[in-house]
C-alpha cells in the first residue's frame, strides 16, 4: 500500500520547508485498480464546465520575475440546460504524471488520474436567468491543481451555483495552458518563512479579485457571465486555499461569506475584525481547540470574527479528506491514512459546505449548521472558548 502524507502545513512560527509532496507522499507501490470516478452530484441540474485562460496585465507574476503579467487558468462549473456529448476530463495525462511523480507514487499508470470519470460536460449550454446564479470561488491547497475540488464544484453546480476554481500558477505541480505550455511548481522547493506564507495568501487574494473582475466586469470573459449574480459571491478553499479565503474576504468586499477547509492561517485578521459569515471545517486530530499550533491560528482568528461563525471538525479525517483525493486513493488501493472512507468524506464536505452557502448566499434556513446531526456523527461542533467539541 502507498501512504499519503497528512499534508500538514508548516506552522505560522518555525516553518519547515515544504515541497510538492505536501500534496501526496508515498512509500511502497500500489496495485492499479479500476478507473476511478467521482461521486455523482445530488442536485437536479446537469453540470457543464469550461476553462478560461486569463491574463492580468496590471501586475507581474509574483513568483517568476520574467513574466510581466499574471496568467491564470480557471475552471468554471455551472448548471447546464442538458448534458453535453463530451464528459469533461479530470486533468491531462501530463498533469497526472507530474502529480504522481511529485508524490513519488509508483505502481499505478502515470495517466491514471487523467482517466478519472467526472460528472460534468465540456461546454454544455448554461442554464439560468440573468443574474440568477450565485458564484462560489474555490482555491486549492499548496502544490495542488484546481481539479482537486471537482467533486465539490460539481455538487454546487448541480444545485444551481456557478463555481470558479482557480489554478494559482507556479504554485501547482502542473498547470496546462491552451498553447500546450505546462508550468510547474516553481515555489515548491524554496525555503518558506512566515512572511512568505503571508505573501502567498495575499497573492491568491489578488488572483481572486482579478477573476471576479473578469467574470463580473463590463467585458466578462465567459459567455455565460451574464447569469452570475455579482451581489452573491462566496469562497471556499482547502489548506492554504482556505487560509487565503480570509485574506480574500479582507481584501475584497464582494466575497460575502467564506470557508477554510483544513488550512492553517498565517496573517492575523486586522483590528477591525471580519464581520461576514465564516466557517472552519477541519480534521479533529489537528484543529480541535487547544490541540496545538495549527488550531491556535484558528483560535486567534475566531476572536476577530464578529459575524456568524462555526468551527467544525471531522473525526477520522486527514488533510486530503476535504478534496477528491480521499475518494480517488480508496479506489486506487492507496492508503491516505484516513479512518474515514473517501466516499463518506466527500459526502460530509459537500453537505456542510453546501449548507453554509445555501444559508448565507441563498438565505435558506439550514438546521444542519445549528447543532450536531445524528446523520453525520463524525462532525463535531467546537466551542473554542471552552476548548470542547461535541
Amino acid at each position: 500500500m502507498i501512504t499519503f502524507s497528512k499534508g500538514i502545513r508548516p506552522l505560522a512560527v518555525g516553518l519547515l520547508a515544504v515541497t510538492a509532496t505536501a500534496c501526496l507522499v508515498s512509500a511502497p507501490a500500489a496495485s492499479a485498480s479500476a478507473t476511478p470516478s467521482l461521486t455523482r452530484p445530488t442536485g437536479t441540474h446537469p453540470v457543464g464546465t469550461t476553462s478560461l485562460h486569463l491574463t492580468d496585465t496590471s501586475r507581474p507574476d509574483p513568483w517568476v520575475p520574467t513574466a510581466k503579467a499574471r496568467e491564470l487558468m480557471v475552471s468554471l462549473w455551472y448548471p447546464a440546460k442538458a448534458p453535453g456529448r463530451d464528459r469533461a476530463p479530470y486533468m491531462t495525462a501530463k498533469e497526472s504524471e507530474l502529480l504522481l511523480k511529485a508524490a513519488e507514487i509508483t505502481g499505478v499508470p502515470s495517466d491514471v488520474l487523467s482517466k478519472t470519470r467526472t460528472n460534468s460536460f465540456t461546454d454544455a449550454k448554461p442554464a439560468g436567468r440573468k443574474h440568477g446564479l450565485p458564484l462560489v470561488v474555490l482555491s486549492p491547497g499548496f502544490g495542488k491543481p484546481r481539479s482537486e475540488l471537482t467533486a465539490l464544484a460539481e455538487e454546487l453546480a448541480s444545485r444551481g451555483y456557478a463555481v470558479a476554481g482557480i489554478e494559482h500558477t507556479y504554485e501547482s505541480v502542473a498547470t496546462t495552458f491552451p498553447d500546450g505550455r505546462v508550468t510547474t511548481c516553481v515555489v515548491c522547493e524554496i525555503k518558506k518563512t512566515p512572511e512568505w506564507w503571508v505573501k502567498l495568501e495575499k497573492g491568491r487574494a489578488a488572483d481572486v479579485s482579478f477573476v471576479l473582475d473578469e467574470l463580473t466586469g463590463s467585458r466578462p470573459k465567459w459567455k455565460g457571465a451574464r447569469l452570475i449574480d455579482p451581489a452573491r459571491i462566496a469562497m471556499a478553499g482547502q489548506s492554504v486555499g482556505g487560509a487565503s479565503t480570509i485574506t480574500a474576504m479582507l481584501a475584497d468586499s464582494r466575497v460575502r461569506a467564506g470557508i477554510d477547509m483544513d488550512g492553517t492561517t498565517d496573517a492575523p485578521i486586522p483590528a477591525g475584525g471580519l464581520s461576514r459569515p465564516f466557517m472552519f471545517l477541519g480534521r479533529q486530530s489537528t484543529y480541535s481547540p487547544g490541540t496545538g499550533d495549527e488550531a491556535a491560528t484558528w483560535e486567534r482568528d475566531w476572536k476577530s470574527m464578529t459575524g456568524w461563525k462555526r468551527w467544525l471538525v471531522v473525526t477520522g479525517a486527514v488533510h486530503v479528506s476535504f478534496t477528491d483525493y480521499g475518494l480517488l486513493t480508496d479506489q486506487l488501493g492507496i492508503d491516505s491514512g484516513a479512518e474515514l472512507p473517501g466516499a463518506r468524506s466527500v459526502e460530509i464536505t459537500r453537505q456542510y459546505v453546501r449548507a453554509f452557502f445555501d444559508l448565507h448566499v441563498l438565505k435558506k434556513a439550514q438546521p444542519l449548521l445549528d447543532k450536531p446531526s445524528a446523520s453525520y456523527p463524525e462532525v463535531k461542533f467546537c466551542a473554542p472558548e471552552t476548548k470542547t467539541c461535541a
Side-chain angles (χ1 to χ4, degrees):
M1 299 287 281
I2 297 175
T3 302
F4 273 46
S5 76
K6 290 184 172 62
I8 298 173
R9 289 223 28 244
L11 310 182
V13 178
L15 288 168
L16 300 175
V18 165
T19 69
T21 54
C23 309
L24 319 166
V25 177
S26 62
S31 300
S33 60
T35 300
S37 61
L38 300 181
T39 307
R40 290 182 179 179
T42 64
T44 59
H45 297 283
V47 178
T49 187
T50 193
S51 293
L52 301 178
H53 175 207
L54 305 177
T55 302
D56 184 357
T57 58
S58 71
R59 58 188 173 121
D61 190 276
W63 310 121
V64 178
T66 56
K68 301 305 181 183
R70 177 68 164 164
E71 288 186 90
L72 299 172
M73 290 301 299
V74 177
S75 288
L76 291 175
W77 293 268
Y78 50 86
K81 291 187 175 180
R85 292 187 305 173
D86 300 318
R87 199 172 289 263
Y90 186 67
M91 62 174 61
T92 68
K94 187 64 175 179
E95 288 167 344
S96 176
E97 175 191 342
L98 292 176
L99 183 60
L100 294 175
K101 181 179 180 181
E104 300 178 359
I105 290 178
T106 59
V108 295
S110 64
D111 64 348
V112 66
L113 293 176
S114 70
K115 296 179 179 179
T116 299
R117 182 179 174 86
T118 71
N119 302 286
S120 45
F121 297 88
T122 302
D123 294 328
K125 191 171 183 179
R129 67 183 190 279
K130 185 177 181 180
H131 293 172
L133 301 182
L135 174 66
V136 172
V137 176
L138 297 180
S139 180
F142 181 69
K144 299 178 185 177
R146 64 194 187 278
S147 58
E148 73 160 359
L149 300 173
T150 298
L152 175 58
E154 290 181 340
E155 172 68 12
L156 293 171
S158 80
R159 294 282 182 160
Y161 290 85
V163 182
I166 302 176
E167 187 98 348
H168 303 282
T169 312
Y170 302 116
E171 300 169 29
S172 171
V173 293
T175 304
T176 303
F177 288 91
D179 60 6
R181 285 177 299 136
V182 179
T183 60
T184 56
C185 190
V186 170
V187 297
C188 279
E189 301 297 334
I190 67 174
K191 184 179 179 180
K192 313 300 188 296
T193 65
E195 294 76 19
W196 187 91
W197 286 107
V198 171
K199 176 184 175 180
L200 181 98
E201 292 165 18
K202 288 183 177 180
R204 289 198 173 198
D207 288 347
V208 170
S209 291
F210 169 66
V211 170
L212 294 184
D213 291 342
E214 296 292 274
L215 291 177
T216 65
S218 58
R219 302 180 67 181
K221 296 302 188 291
W222 178 44
K223 63 182 180 181
R226 65 179 182 81
L227 303 177
I228 294 174
D229 183 352
R232 293 189 294 171
I233 297 173
M235 180 176 171
Q238 189 264 349
S239 194
V240 73
S244 300
T245 297
I246 295 177
T247 309
M249 292 178 71
L250 292 169
D252 197 323
S253 62
R254 291 176 293 183
V255 184
R256 303 302 305 162
I259 302 173
D260 177 353
M261 298 185 292
D262 217 59
T264 301
T265 59
D266 299 288
I269 296 173
L274 179 64
S275 62
R276 280 162 276 161
F278 200 86
M279 184 168 77
F280 289 114
L281 177 65
R283 293 163 282 168
Q284 183 185 41
S285 60
T286 300
Y287 289 106
S288 294
T291 57
D293 291 336
E294 293 97 335
T297 67
W298 287 15
E299 293 178 69
R300 177 202 65 211
D301 291 341
W302 181 265
K303 296 174 183 177
S304 298
M305 293 177 175
T306 60
W308 187 103
K309 55 188 177 182
R310 290 289 185 274
W311 181 325
L312 308 181
V313 293
V314 183
T315 305
V318 294
H319 198 49
V320 299
S321 297
F322 304 93
T323 72
D324 300 341
Y325 295 145
L327 175 68
L328 299 180
T329 54
D330 281 359
Q331 295 175 48
L332 293 171
I334 298 171
D335 181 10
S336 70
E339 298 175 9
L340 188 68
R344 181 64 169 174
S345 64
V346 166
E347 179 184 0
I348 288 172
T349 301
R350 282 175 161 183
Q351 287 288 341
Y352 281 86
V353 169
R354 180 168 56 81
F356 176 86
F357 290 135
D358 283 355
L359 175 62
H360 296 293
V361 178
L362 301 184
K363 307 303 180 183
K364 296 180 179 179
Q366 298 296 318
L368 184 66
L369 298 178
D370 292 337
K371 61 182 180 180
S373 168
S375 298
Y376 300 101
E378 305 95 333
V379 180
K380 311 297 182 183
F381 282 60
C382 296
E385 296 80 6
T386 58
K387 300 191 186 304
T388 57
C389 300

